């Protein structure tokens, strides 16, 4: 059975002068303002679709990597993942870069990089973003 997660956005006005609010219905974690200037220029305390994509990918990738490492017999003590989504007005999302730093007792850097590449390829959010180039830097220690 599928789990469902719901968020919604209410947008008022035109693209360039309007603004909206993203609400996380399922988790009830809050309401977050969005606007075109906060997306295409400076954040100014607002979020953007690209930041939300970065949050989704960094958390999904971390879970996938943790699972893969654990299944291989080298469970991590910590994984810190940063996702950076590049957005260009007129072109859209031009790429995402993941940087992960991990503490994994009993695993060498080569094994960590291989596990991270496997997680990058197989994380469900990454698969949903199949049309987007996602690069990776993996650092052990």
């Amino acid at each position: 059975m599928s789990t469902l997660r719901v968020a919604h956005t209410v947008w008022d006005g035109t693209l360039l002068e309007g603004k909206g609010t993203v609400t996380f219905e399922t988790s009830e974690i809050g309401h977050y303002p969005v606007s075109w200037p906060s997306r295409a220029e400076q954040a100014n305390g607002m979020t953007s679709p690209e930041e939300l994509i970065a949050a989704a990918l960094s958390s999904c990738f971390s879970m996938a990597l943790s699972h893969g490492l654990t299944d291989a017999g080298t469970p991590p003590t910590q994984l810190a993942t940063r996702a950076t989504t590049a957005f260009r007005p007129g072109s859209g999302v031009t790429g995402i870069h993941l940087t992960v730093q991990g503490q994994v007792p009993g695993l060498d850097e080569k094994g960590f990089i291989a596990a991270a590449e496997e997680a990058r390829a197989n994380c469900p959010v990454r698969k949903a973003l199949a049309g987007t180039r996602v690069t990776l830097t993996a650092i052990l220690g």
Side-chain angles (χ1 to χ4, degrees):
M1 178 179 286
S2 296
T3 0
L4 302 176
R5 299 293 181 258
V6 180
H8 77 268
T9 300
V10 174
W11 186 266
D12 298 311
T14 66
L15 172 63
L16 298 180
E17 292 146 7
K19 60 184 176 182
T21 302
V22 176
T23 300
F24 292 86
E25 288 185 31
T26 306
S27 62
E28 300 179 351
I29 61 172
H31 314 278
Y32 299 91
V34 297
S35 72
W36 178 255
S38 70
R39 182 178 191 187
E41 299 165 15
Q42 296 298 316
N44 294 320
M46 297 184 188
T47 193
S48 69
E50 292 73 29
E51 185 177 35
L52 298 171
I53 290 169
L57 183 57
S58 69
S59 60
C60 183
F61 170 83
S62 294
M63 289 183 214
L65 180 53
S66 177
H67 181 66
L69 290 167
T70 300
D71 278 358
T74 52
T77 54
Q78 185 177 65
L79 300 170
T81 304
R82 177 187 194 107
T84 304
T85 304
F87 173 77
R88 180 174 299 136
S91 299
V93 173
T94 58
I96 304 170
H97 185 74
L98 291 169
T99 302
V100 61
Q101 184 165 3
Q103 297 175 11
V104 188
L107 187 65
D108 64 11
E109 189 163 1
K110 183 178 176 183
F112 182 68
I113 292 170
E117 287 291 351
E118 180 75 16
R120 181 182 66 87
N122 293 306
C123 139
V125 170
R126 168 65 183 107
K127 287 181 177 183
L129 298 168
T132 303
R133 182 170 179 242
V134 177
T135 55
L136 172 69
T137 301
I139 304 160
L140 183 65

